[in-house]
Amino acid sequence: MVIDRRLKVFIHIVFWTFMFLSPMQYMRGTGMSMLQYLMNCMPSLLLMVVFYANYKWLTYKYFVAGKHRYYTMINFVMIISFAIFLHYWMDFTRELFQPSGRLSRMPDALDDFLSFIRDCANFCIFATVATCISLAQQWYWADTALKAAEAARVAAELGNLRSQINPHFLLNTLNNIYALTAIDQTRAQNAIQKLSELLRHMLYENHEQLVPLGDEVQFLENYVSLMKIRLSSSVDVRFDYEPADPVPKVSPLIGISLVENAFKHGISPTEPSFVHIRIAVEGTKVHIDIKNSNHPKTDSDHSGHGIGLQQVQQRLDLSYANKYEWHHGVSPDGKVYTSSITLETQT
């Protein structure tokens, strides 16, 4: 921002230096005195006044505020007044510095009128340019502020979603370990080790914007291992991952809600059940495919998937806006639920 301000000041200085030095092109031959040069700088001085009056004051106070009538009236009065003043000033300068013995051609009415129109046009051009520059700067500042506010909002919403995911996930995992302690203490200790790895991922990588896909897959594999502890051998659980090189990066915890729902709503104590998870990489795209038997908890929840789906949708919208595809739903016979996500990632 400091560099931009300095560059802007430098451009202003260079431009107006050129404008004020332009009368020196006539200081050749017999030339003109320094006083005559300074008096011939009056047009540049008035152009500067018109420019900065619009650039610093009129545009902000009247044009942007919608008071276009006052903006036009003030500019009209200022431009006409300056044009009339400049006409008499230049006549006075010519009479004052006309060399003795040399008759000057007296301007006729048409010349005076054309000079007046020319001066008004110059003032109008500078006023218009100043207004356009001022409006462009305001648009840029407003757009920058809007983008910053949007980025802060997205970060806050992502943080809020992650805080919703973590307690839900921990509650399910702790319930699994609690049930295991009454069956096999050794396996319970192994489960606690798995949980510690999960917590390490959540504490140190959950707050990163992107994490390597391999780390996220390991996180999900640990979760699946914990979930399998309390399942019977008749439940078909599969986890397939096809690694890639280079390893892409994904938003952390992007798939945990879907995996949780697959176990929560896909396992039945009385009917055949399965959970199949497949993660594959194709170029810059990551495919996450989850299929599970569909056992809704209530008649009103036809999908068998509750608030977790809303969280996934929000996560995808915030982290992968216009860079993802998500297809999910129950098969026509109502026995299988499928969720397929394709993410456009970066390595």
Side-chain angles (χ1 to χ4, degrees), residues 166 196-208:
N166 295 351
S196 68
E197 295 177 3
L198 294 174
L199 291 175
R200 185 180 300 110
H201 178 87
M202 294 167 62
L203 289 174
Y204 295 104
E205 297 181 1
N206 180 26
H207 300 289
E208 298 292 331

Side-chain angles (χ1 to χ4, degrees), residues 213-214 217 241-251 254 278-289 316 320 322-327 340-347:
L213 178 62
V217 169
Y241 170 54
E242 301 176 8
D245 186 20
V247 179
K249 292 185 177 182
V250 297
S251 180
I254 194 65
R278 177 180 176 272
I279 300 177
V281 179
E282 182 182 355
T284 59
K285 294 183 178 181
V286 173
H287 303 282
I288 303 175
D289 299 315
L316 291 172
Y320 293 95
N322 301 320
K323 294 183 179 180
Y324 77 92
E325 293 182 5
W326 183 27
H327 305 285
S340 299
I341 297 177
T342 300
L343 306 175
E344 186 68 35
T345 65
Q346 62 186 55
T347 56

Side-chain angles (χ1 to χ4, degrees), residues 264-277:
K264 181 178 181 181
H265 303 286
I267 306 301
S268 171
T270 60
E271 300 180 30
S273 305
F274 70 90
V275 175
H276 296 168
I277 303 170

Side-chain angles (χ1 to χ4, degrees), residues 96-210:
L96 183 63
F97 295 100
Q98 183 66 38
S100 60
R102 182 183 300 174
L103 295 177
S104 61
R105 183 183 65 85
M106 297 300 294
D108 56 20
L110 180 60
D111 287 338
D112 289 340
F113 177 75
L114 292 178
S115 297
F116 178 80
I117 295 299
R118 178 201 62 197
D119 294 336
C120 287
N122 289 336
F123 288 133
C124 288
I125 291 173
F126 273 70
T128 302
V129 170
T131 300
C132 291
I133 295 176
S134 181
L135 291 175
Q137 286 185 348
Q138 291 191 60
W139 174 85
Y140 173 78
W141 293 332
D143 184 65
T144 302
L146 182 61
K147 289 181 178 178
E150 180 66 14
R153 183 189 68 82
V154 169
E157 290 189 13
L158 279 174
N160 181 57
L161 288 173
R162 289 170 182 172
S163 68
Q164 294 176 23
I165 292 172
N166 295 351
H168 184 210
F169 164 75
L170 289 175
L171 178 61
N172 288 346
T173 305
L174 289 174
N175 285 337
N176 292 341
I177 296 176
Y178 174 77
L180 186 61
T181 56
I183 303 173
D184 190 330
Q185 291 187 355
T186 301
R187 293 176 64 192
Q189 291 175 350
N190 291 334
I192 292 175
Q193 178 65 30
K194 292 286 187 181
L195 178 60
S196 68
E197 295 177 3
L198 294 174
L199 291 175
R200 185 180 300 110
H201 178 87
M202 294 167 62
L203 289 174
Y204 295 104
E205 297 181 1
N206 180 26
H207 300 289
E208 298 292 331
Q209 184 177 4
L210 296 172

